[in-house]
Amino acid sequence: MFKKGDVISKLILVLFAAILLLMVLGGRLFTDIEEEAYESEETDRIVVGVSQLGSESGWRTANTESVQNVFTKDNGYFLLFNNARQKQENQIKAIRSFISQRVDYIVFAPVVETGWETVLQEAREAGIPVILMDRQVDVTDKSLYVTCVGSDFVEEGERAGRWLEKDLRKRGMDKETVNIVVLKGTEGSSSQIGRTIGFSVVASNHSNWNILEQEYADFTSAKGREVMEVFLKKHPDIDVVISQNDDMTFGAIEAIRDAGKTVGIGGDITIISFDAVNTALEMVADGIINVDIECNPNQGEYLSRVIEMLENGEKVENQYYVEENVFTIENVTRELIEERNY
Ligand code: GZL
């Protein structure tokens, strides 16, 4: 007779084998279906392979939606979409998969600026145009990509600095020591690099601006809260937080309030944020966030226009900047928030 233990271990083994088989089959079936659908697809649709860097923030979700809303069958596209979950190696794998599937265009939002030369050379050798979305790549040979549709991050950082100059002057604090901490986005990303440079350019004109500390918080709410908690423990006299996206801002505000301090207009700590997603704009309207430097995720229409121009043999610029604003309690209304899609 089998001992009880034997039966259980055999059952576990069978279960494990079944799960493994399902995973392999599922993976293969999924790939076959995807490839089959694509290969059998009539070729008159423009095939676009999109490598999105992740889904780390409300901004990213809106950016993905703007792409998926435009590269549709009705608009004449076949979209292959991959979410790299913040990993560069996943983006490189996705781009190589797009190359092997012979897509017509590759669009990608590079998670960081460096490490793209090899895979971009492979795309060029395959004759597939590459269009950057949102962020930049740091390559010597600029012909490795056709254009970039995104934001001027240095200008965004300068806008934050210029707003702080005006606000301090308005409050008669332009000569006082101002203690500042900075929550930085994903290390090595264009948005983090540009916003840091832009704000530092303005800050360098003010010897009374004391940047106590700058730390990476990966554009996420959880990390923003964690880093802000450390800042608060080390620096009891913080006057201003520069947070390089709204998700980190949400986490930072939780940490500040947990420490018994207040934020926003008339509060202990001035909050300067970036992105201007709707949840954050509501906090601007409520005086909780002092200013929000918009970063427009609606890049799908721009990308589709670029592809149309390329299809028509038209020359495209090497950079397209999306329209962006600066929001404070003076210009944020409920109507404005309601009419925006992010
Ligand atoms: C900005 C984009 C940044 C956003 C963050 O263009 O790269 O990445 O500011 C997002 O919300 O995570």
Side-chain angles (χ1 to χ4, degrees):
M1 264 311 271
F2 286 117
K3 288 200 211 69
K4 194 161 170 271
D6 284 356
V7 172
I8 291 170
S9 55
K10 285 191 180 335
L11 272 176
I12 290 168
L13 256 178
V14 166
L15 196 63
F16 178 70
I19 290 168
L20 202 62
L21 183 65
L22 274 175
M23 279 169 73
V24 169
L25 268 181
R28 196 175 61 73
L29 279 178
F30 177 74
T31 315
D32 289 353
I33 289 172
E34 188 179 44
E35 299 240 324
E36 196 184 309
Y38 164 48
E39 275 157 15
S40 66
E41 195 60 32
E42 58 280 7
T43 51
D44 60 347
R45 286 163 66 185
I46 300 172
V47 185
V48 183
V50 175
S51 165
Q52 177 58 287
L53 63 88
S55 41
E56 74 285 359
S57 63
W59 187 96
R60 188 65 53 198
T61 304
N63 182 242
T64 292
E65 281 168 5
S66 91
V67 166
Q68 291 178 333
N69 291 344
V70 78
F71 292 135
T72 61
K73 183 170 185 175
D74 291 348
N75 289 344
Y77 292 101
F78 186 101
L79 174 62
L80 291 172
F81 184 87
N82 177 273
N83 174 342
R85 292 173 173 66
Q86 307 292 319
K87 291 193 178 352
Q88 179 172 34
E89 63 265 26
N90 289 347
Q91 288 201 277
I92 291 172
K93 266 189 226 140
I95 292 170
R96 285 192 169 128
S97 163
F98 296 150
I99 291 170
S100 67
Q101 296 181 72
R102 302 180 309 286
V103 299
D104 297 310
Y105 295 91
I106 291 170
V107 174
F108 84 113
V111 61
V112 291
E113 290 201 343
T114 54
W116 302 101
E117 282 81 356
T118 306
V119 75
L120 291 182
Q121 273 153 10
E122 291 167 18
R124 179 166 59 184
E125 280 149 26
I128 302 174
V130 173
I131 299 166
L132 304 182
M133 166 176 78
D134 173 22
R135 301 181 183 176
Q136 271 289 1
V137 293
D138 178 10
V139 291
T140 38
D141 181 355
K142 300 294 180 196
S143 70
L144 285 171
Y145 60 91
V146 174
T147 186
C148 176
V149 173
S151 304
D152 182 343
F153 299 117
V154 174
E155 169 57 20
E156 289 178 359
E158 289 181 3
R159 286 178 176 183
R162 292 196 295 269
W163 178 87
L164 184 57
E165 283 177 329
K166 265 191 345 209
D167 184 63
L168 292 172
R169 209 175 301 124
K170 196 168 69 178
R171 292 193 282 159
M173 290 175 62
D174 48 325
K175 299 280 182 281
E176 289 176 34
T177 297
V178 181
N179 292 319
I180 300 165
V181 291
V182 182
L183 292 169
K184 295 196 284 188
T186 303
E187 183 176 5
S189 65
S190 312
S191 19
Q192 176 268 307
I193 294 168
R195 288 168 187 165
T196 303
I197 291 171
F199 182 76
S200 308
V201 162
V202 178
S204 64
N205 301 325
H206 300 277
S207 56
N208 60 313
W209 291 14
N210 177 24
I211 298 184
L212 298 167
E213 214 165 335
Q214 309 195 54
E215 193 47 72
Y216 299 108
D218 295 349
F219 286 131
T220 67
S221 183
K223 196 74 179 155
R225 179 180 185 145
E226 184 188 311
V227 173
M228 193 66 220
E229 284 168 355
V230 172
F231 284 166
L232 287 159
K233 287 191 181 85
K234 289 171 72 174
H235 308 287
D237 51 356
I238 297 170
D239 299 308
V240 179
V241 174
I242 309 288
S243 170
Q244 292 182 351
N245 91 323
D246 290 332
D247 293 73
M248 295 189 293
T249 300
F250 301 147
I253 289 172
E254 285 173 13
I256 293 167
R257 285 172 164 166
D258 285 352
K261 291 183 179 245
T262 56
V263 294
I265 296 173
D268 302 320
I269 299 181
T270 294
I271 304 292
I272 297 178
S273 191
F274 291 80
D275 279 355
V277 296
N278 44 27
T279 313
L281 289 185
E282 283 163 16
M283 296 168 90
V284 171
D286 294 341
I288 297 165
I289 293 175
N290 295 78
V291 61
D292 209 328
I293 314 298
E294 182 180 28
C295 180
N296 185 349
N298 288 325
Q299 296 166 355
E301 294 296 337
Y302 289 79
L303 291 163
S304 168
R305 178 78 192 98
V306 163
I307 288 178
E308 271 166 41
M309 290 169 74
L310 292 169
E311 286 288 296
N312 299 334
E314 295 170 48
K315 190 183 170 324
V316 296
E317 302 297 322
N318 58 20
Q319 172 75 52
Y320 290 92
Y321 289 126
V322 291
E323 303 268 312
E324 298 178 336
N325 209 326
V326 174
F327 292 106
T328 63
I329 198 164
E330 284 80 24
N331 66 350
V332 170
T333 62
R334 294 288 157 202
E335 297 72 32
L336 176 130
I337 295 171
E338 265 139 40
E339 74 196 15
R340 288 162 65 89
N341 70 323
Y342 70 97

